Amino acid sequence: MKQDIQHTEKFLKGLTTLTGLPYKKVQQYVKGNNPLNILEHPHIMEPNEKQLEKIGLLNEFIASYNILKIYESNEKVTLNSSTLAGQYFLALLGGIKDKERFMVAFLDSGNNIIETKTMSEGSIGQTAVYPREILKYALACDCNAMILAHNHPGGSKNFSPEDRSLTQRMVDIFHPLEIKVLDHIIVGGGSYTSMAERGIVPCQSKGTANYEEIALGAIPVEEKRNRFKNTHSR
Amino acid sequence: MNLEELKEMEYIKCVRLLAELIDLDADTKEKIHKCFQSMGIKNFFLHLESVDLSPETYEKLKSIKFIIETVDEKRGRV
């Protein structure tokens, strides 16, 4: 407990030194809240433009540091299980709670990562995915397979119909090219869900390849119902 | 692109972010980049006090270290 308080104190001192946020204000906030909220939802501290920019840089640095920790701990980054893929994307997407980001890991025949790219980034509830761009990168790096991933800033780990439909669209495009879509990972609420783990990754094309942009990020139906219930019960 | 190239790209990105975050000059940027390449970013922060940096840069990097440790600890617990 004492160690926890010391950690928080150091965190706050570091945060205020780097961003210019007022110490008293953040100290007051963390009395009843998780200190990480300040990084994940910076607007709660009503920062000015410069402070917001510094928090953004700090978040980017933490994400980059997490990737490097993974790179440094392995000779090769091999995503040969849904657990490894989930942990990998949790490190990359776990801290992003103010926007939606869609990423793709392009893999070789041994499921080693050739390259991981952010393919699109949108607002808190929606992002647009451009299959043409994904195809361009997949062909450029001569990949054998890919793993899709995106975050749900709202914290939901459920697959929305749009998430499933996007996965099918990717399979429709890449199956004829013999590029496998191995998994689709959803990161939300500090954890992840894997489509492969649930056995719902499509393995066959259902229709012809469609390269139109895909809107992603609608709230899963179940979550909508729950939200309504919660509101109603108040 | 192999792992070494990916890692190098990420080191460059990290140094650029650090420079923007704590206003590093060109020499310090280069020094930190070389440290990343030789010992890795994890060891760099672990052995921060052994790196030859100005007191001002050291203090700012120590602030980042505290933040990383707290984020690691709190997110690891989730």
Side-chain angles (χ1 to χ4, degrees):
Chain A
M1 186 68 181
K2 199 179 167 189
Q3 202 187 4
D4 225 24
I5 296 167
Q6 280 175 341
H7 258 255
T8 305
E9 280 294 311
K10 284 180 174 180
F11 173 81
L12 294 186
K13 275 186 190 150
L15 187 67
T16 50
T17 306
L18 294 168
T19 63
L21 287 171
Y23 186 79
K24 277 198 172 171
K25 199 173 179 181
V26 290
Q27 198 184 31
Q28 192 63 33
Y29 177 79
V30 300
K31 276 184 184 163
N33 298 286
N34 184 340
L36 295 193
N37 287 353
I38 302 167
L39 287 177
E40 291 163 357
H41 309 282
H43 287 285
I44 51 178
M45 298 313 301
E46 298 168 325
N48 62 32
E49 211 174 307
K50 194 163 183 209
Q51 290 164 343
L52 192 62
E53 191 196 327
K54 292 282 183 189
I55 298 171
L57 285 168
L58 195 52
N59 275 326
E60 268 194 75
F61 178 80
I62 293 167
S64 196
Y65 173 82
N66 284 336
I67 298 168
L68 280 164
K69 263 199 328 187
I70 294 174
Y71 287 161
E72 286 173 5
S73 64
N74 291 294
E75 276 296 301
K76 274 193 261 184
V77 181
T78 307
L79 301 183
N80 54 9
S81 74
S82 52
T83 308
L84 286 174
Q87 283 168 350
Y88 177 75
F89 282 109
L90 183 61
L92 294 177
L93 296 166
I96 305 165
K97 292 184 182 164
D98 59 344
K99 59 188 153 196
E100 199 160 77
R101 182 178 286 177
F102 183 84
M103 302 184 82
V104 180
F106 299 98
L107 312 177
D108 65 15
S109 55
N111 290 347
N112 303 307
I113 295 178
I114 302 169
E115 197 172 359
T116 301
K117 297 283 289 184
T118 296
M119 300 309 305
S120 67
E121 207 168 74
S123 63
I124 191 151
Q126 199 162 26
T127 189
V129 176
Y130 300 92
R132 237 174 245 281
E133 286 297 303
I134 302 174
L135 177 66
K136 202 166 81 182
Y137 281 108
L139 295 179
C141 70
D142 195 22
C143 71
N144 198 264
M146 63 176 71
I147 295 178
L148 318 172
H150 74 281
N151 62 315
H152 282 171
S156 164
K157 283 183 290 170
N158 298 324
F159 294 103
S160 68
E162 286 76 9
D163 297 339
R164 287 167 181 253
S165 148
L166 176 140
T167 316
Q168 183 63 59
R169 288 262 307 267
M170 290 295 117
V171 172
D172 291 344
I173 292 168
F174 290 103
H175 181 72
L177 304 172
E178 296 183 353
I179 296 172
K180 295 184 276 290
V181 177
L182 296 177
D183 204 347
H184 189 163
I185 303 286
I186 301 285
V187 173
S191 181
Y192 69 89
T193 320
S194 147
M195 249 188 203
E197 224 162 68
R198 293 197 179 180
I200 53 172
V201 181
C203 51
Q204 292 290 331
S205 308
K206 266 193 180 167
T208 50
N210 176 354
Y211 296 95
E212 291 298 310
E213 84 171 59
I214 307 168
L216 186 66
I219 300 160
V221 179
E222 267 307 306
E223 199 181 318
K224 268 187 196 165
R225 276 196 212 115
N226 290 341
R227 276 190 190 179
F228 178 74
K229 269 185 211 161
N230 289 342
T231 316
H232 191 66
S233 65
R234 268 179 202 162
Chain B
M1 200 179 288
N2 64 30
L3 181 65
E4 282 310 310
E5 287 168 321
L6 283 173
K7 208 157 63 172
E8 181 53 26
M9 267 174 59
E10 210 60 42
Y11 284 150
I12 293 168
K13 184 178 162 188
C14 254
V15 175
R16 178 182 57 78
L17 288 167
L18 275 182
E20 280 186 67
L21 193 59
I22 60 174
D23 303 321
L24 298 176
D25 59 45
D27 285 348
T28 314
K29 265 174 80 175
E30 201 186 326
K31 194 182 278 179
I32 293 176
H33 189 185
K34 281 187 179 152
C35 285
F36 285 174
Q37 288 170 321
S38 60
M39 64 168 95
I41 196 164
K42 209 176 156 186
N43 283 325
F44 172 78
F45 279 103
L46 209 59
H47 307 292
L48 198 55
E49 63 287 344
S50 63
V51 184
D52 178 27
L53 296 161
S54 72
E56 195 196 348
T57 305
Y58 171 71
E59 283 306 318
K60 286 177 181 172
L61 287 170
K62 213 163 73 175
S63 295
I64 293 177
K65 185 181 170 176
F66 291 151
I67 292 173
I68 291 168
E69 280 173 355
T70 310
V71 170
D72 266 357
E73 196 209 353
K74 301 248 180 215
R75 288 201 182 132
R77 243 189 243 170
V78 174

